[in-house]
């Protein structure tokens, strides 16, 4: 395990999707694509990273299309050979039976009270709660970054996570 850890993380959200615009429906498909604006947002970030001469030792992306596409657009400006690693454990929350349900219809007073009561422990049937998402992502982070022999060194690391 690394003793001295000096890591700069850039946590980068995917660009706009149609589901972001029409936000009444819960969840997004893993295949949800970027809109033209989302592609433009990613290109602007790529230009900024290039202008600032930023480089990363490692780049990690969710397998979801919107994150992977944002990553590909942004990383096109990075030095050749920058490793881009797809990681299923950093995908967004799985909404289970809540997927595609209307917030306007579902969010009654009682439902909102239940959400408030459960907090990060709330989950739809067959879905995940935020505690489970946090657990899988932090477990991956510990294993991949802290304990991984490839990242074990005293060298400062710059890591992007999409």
């Amino acid at each position: 395990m690394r003793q001295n850890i000096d890591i700069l993380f850039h946590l980068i959200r995917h660009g706009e999707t149609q589901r972001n615009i029409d936000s009444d429906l819960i969840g997004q498909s893993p295949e949800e694509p970027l809109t033209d604006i989302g592609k433009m947002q990613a290109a602007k970030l790529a230009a900024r990273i290039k202008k600032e001469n930023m480089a990363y030792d490692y780049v990690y992306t969710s397998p979801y299309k919107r994150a992977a596409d944002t990553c590909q657009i942004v990383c096109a400006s990075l030095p050749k050979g920058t490793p881009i690693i797809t990681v299923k454990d950093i995908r967004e929350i799985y909404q289970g039976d809540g997927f595609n349900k209307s917030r306007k219809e579902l969010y009654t007073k009682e439902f909102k009270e239940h959400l408030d009561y459960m907090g990060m422990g709330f989950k739809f049937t067959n879905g995940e709660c935020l505690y489970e998402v946090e657990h899988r992502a932090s477990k991956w982070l510990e294993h991949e970054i802290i304990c991984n022999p490839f990242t074990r060194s005293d060298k400062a690391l710059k890591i992007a996570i999409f």
Side-chain angles (χ1 to χ4, degrees):
M1 183 175 291
R2 291 171 58 119
Q3 297 301 312
N4 299 313
I5 301 173
D6 186 10
I7 303 174
L8 172 68
F9 286 105
H10 283 179
L11 303 176
I12 303 168
R13 190 177 194 281
H14 61 77
E16 179 189 81
T17 66
Q18 191 61 43
R19 191 58 79 99
N20 296 139
I21 298 166
D22 304 330
S23 61
D24 178 51
L25 297 178
I26 295 171
Q28 292 191 55
S29 161
E31 295 304 314
E32 181 81 23
L34 296 173
T35 62
D36 289 341
I37 290 173
K39 292 173 187 172
M40 183 179 65
Q41 291 167 334
K44 282 183 177 183
L45 179 58
R48 179 178 173 187
I49 286 172
K50 185 174 184 174
K51 180 181 176 185
E52 294 180 8
N53 204 26
M54 177 61 72
Y56 296 104
D57 297 295
Y58 298 92
V59 174
Y60 298 93
T61 182
S62 160
Y64 285 12
K65 182 171 178 43
R66 57 196 167 275
D69 288 353
T70 301
C71 178
Q72 287 300 321
I73 293 167
V74 170
C75 290
S77 67
L78 294 178
K80 297 286 185 222
T82 302
I84 300 173
I85 304 156
T86 302
V87 179
K88 68 179 178 129
D89 287 336
I90 58 175
R91 69 194 182 281
E92 69 180 56
I93 190 169
Y94 178 63
Q95 298 290 2
D97 293 353
F99 180 71
N100 266 343
K101 298 274 195 282
S102 167
R103 285 184 173 87
K104 290 176 189 166
E105 294 174 16
L106 192 61
Y107 283 36
T108 63
K109 181 181 181 230
E110 294 80 20
F111 185 81
K112 288 178 187 177
E113 287 173 355
H114 181 66
L115 276 176
D116 287 345
Y117 176 75
M118 294 301 293
M120 286 183 53
F122 173 81
K123 66 178 172 179
F124 289 103
T125 304
N126 299 315
E128 295 178 288
C129 71
L130 287 172
Y131 286 124
E132 291 168 320
V133 175
E134 177 185 49
H135 177 74
R136 78 169 143 76
S138 62
K139 187 175 174 184
W140 165 79
L141 183 67
E142 180 181 352
H143 179 267
E144 182 66 24
I145 308 302
I146 309 300
C147 299
N148 186 332
F150 295 109
T151 60
R152 273 194 228 151
S153 73
D154 290 331
K155 176 184 178 263
L157 294 175
K158 293 180 184 169
I159 296 174
I161 300 176
F162 290 81

